[in-house]
Amino acid sequence: MPSFSADHGARPYDALLLYSFGGPDKPEDVVPFLRNVTAGKGIPDARLEQVGEHYYGFGGKSPINEQNLALKGALEKELAERGIDLPVVWGNRNWAPYTTDAVDELEAMGATRAVALVTSAYSSYSGCRQYREDLAAVLDQRGQLGPDGSTGVQFDKLRAYFNTPGFVQGNVDAVVEAFAALAEAGGDAAAARLVFVTHSIPTTMEAASGVGHATYAEQHLDIAALVAARVGEALGHAVAWELAYCSRSGPPHQPWLEPDVNDLLGSLAESGLRDVVLSPIGFVSDHMEVAYDLDTEALATARDLGMTAVRAGTVGTRPVFVKQLVDLVLERAALARGERVDEAVVGSFPAFPSVTPNDCCLRVHEQPSGVPALCSEDMHR
């Protein structure tokens, strides 16, 4: 249960910004979307067309937008059931509704202070600072960025929530369900290996993610160990597990976090393992990295290797996760009011700060980009 009083609701916030990555809605959106994602990298459209094949295989539409709408609806329902009057506005970094669209909507409704929920549970440049930089850049373009932050709608953010009880329990429940599905498919659930999967990042970004707290990889390893232990308790036997990565991009000479999930499956098959549960623990919902990298590519790899593999669900709109997110909104509101809050965490690490150090989650360690990031110590009012 939350350790703070909800008597004041979400005050001082008058809106919740559901802030996500975005994705194309139809085939003609794919290349423009990928241009947004790769802006400044000089990647030709011909290469983007090749990358876009992942999307074209799903009709040119990413599942992320519908899933964000579902999460928005679930948050609105949970807030209403608790009697909390807090409208939810959705915005994306890379596709409509864009960040600036969300700010327009906030201004139109008369919002003065919003709290941002980023749809990434872990802390790294891609999952934390890049969103805060984008929000600052949009405000700057609108003439609304001052030395202390926004001069229009004020923004705070929720802390990284990878080590919150609801996120962990949602993953435990999903993995237990997957072990049951594996048994139904004829697999040996007692002997199966649990393979957690998350998005790979460059090793330079991994090093930068550890300023002031655990690195991106350490965050995953800690929570994976906790989830595996709780799954073992639920199943009545110990569960062996591994952490793997997917969705690597960038030049071949640049080191990224490994092993790739397909390479790991090959190694496990060589060792004689025949049953696997894949848990996309690094993802909040079943978007393209899950739909293609796991459901399409990794499961095909497993079949080719003669393995029985089942993919666990993500936390998505599971009630335990949605309730956790609303708890975090109320927790952040209490902090904004100056109240003392016992921030609920599980695992080995303390709660990550919602107002981040200035050098937190840079793209490259000790190499500031010069780009301001909202919700950091020097941009927080």
Side-chain angles (χ1 to χ4, degrees), residues 28 335 372:
E28 52 266 41
L335 289 170

Side-chain angles (χ1 to χ4, degrees), residues 63-305:
I64 193 172
N65 293 328
E66 289 182 357
Q67 290 169 7
N68 278 328
L69 283 170
L71 180 56
K72 180 176 182 288
L75 288 165
E76 290 168 337
K77 182 174 182 290
E78 178 67 18
L79 288 163
E81 288 178 351
R82 297 201 201 183
I84 302 167
D85 182 15
L86 191 71
V88 183
V89 172
W90 170 37
N92 298 314
R93 276 188 13 229
N94 298 297
W95 201 248
Y98 289 101
T99 306
T100 193
D101 299 323
V103 177
D104 283 342
E105 186 175 350
L106 291 166
E107 290 182 343
M109 67 173 55
T112 59
R113 190 169 181 181
V115 61
L117 161 59
V118 174
T119 57
S120 176
Y122 300 85
S123 185
S124 71
Y125 177 77
S126 297
C128 177
R129 188 181 184 92
Q130 194 167 15
Y131 285 92
R132 298 185 289 111
E133 287 183 353
D134 181 71
L135 187 52
V138 166
L139 293 175
D140 193 32
Q141 291 164 6
R142 299 166 68 96
Q144 295 177 330
L145 186 67
D148 298 318
S150 176
T151 60
V153 179
Q154 303 294 304
F155 290 94
D156 294 333
K157 68 175 287 291
L158 301 185
R159 60 182 168 97
Y161 47 86
F162 72 97
N163 60 344
T164 56
F167 180 75
V168 168
Q169 189 59 49
N171 277 290
V172 170
D173 294 343
V175 173
V176 169
E177 292 164 7
F179 270 91
L182 181 72
E184 291 176 6
D188 184 352
R193 187 68 52 89
L194 174 55
V195 176
F196 295 103
V197 188
T198 191
H199 202 302
S200 186
I201 61 174
T203 56
T204 50
M205 193 182 295
E206 159 71 4
S209 71
V211 173
H213 48 61
T215 69
Y216 176 81
E218 290 167 345
Q219 296 163 41
H220 283 82
L221 288 166
D222 191 63
I223 294 308
L226 180 58
V227 170
R230 292 190 178 180
V231 168
E233 291 171 1
L235 297 179
H237 61 79
V239 174
W241 62 274
E242 312 268 357
L243 176 65
Y245 299 89
C246 68
S247 308
R248 185 222 151 93
S249 60
H253 64 272
Q254 184 181 40
W256 283 54
L257 294 177
E258 297 178 337
D260 176 80
V261 61
N262 297 284
D263 294 338
L264 178 61
L265 289 173
S267 298
L268 293 174
E270 286 180 3
S271 71
L273 192 77
R274 288 292 172 263
D275 301 287
V276 175
V277 169
L278 299 172
S279 168
I281 198 169
F283 303 94
V284 169
S285 63
D286 296 10
H287 47 76
M288 188 56 71
E289 285 83 355
V290 177
Y292 180 81
D293 293 57
L294 297 187
D295 291 351
T296 303
E297 196 171 49
L299 290 183
T301 296
R303 285 193 299 271
D304 291 344
L305 293 167

Side-chain angles (χ1 to χ4, degrees), residues 359-380:
D359 55 353
C360 174
C361 291
L362 296 171
R363 187 189 293 271
V364 179
H365 183 46
E366 296 183 339
Q367 293 186 28
S369 63
V371 179
L374 237 57
C375 308
S376 55
E377 290 172 350
D378 62 348
M379 294 287 287
H380 183 74

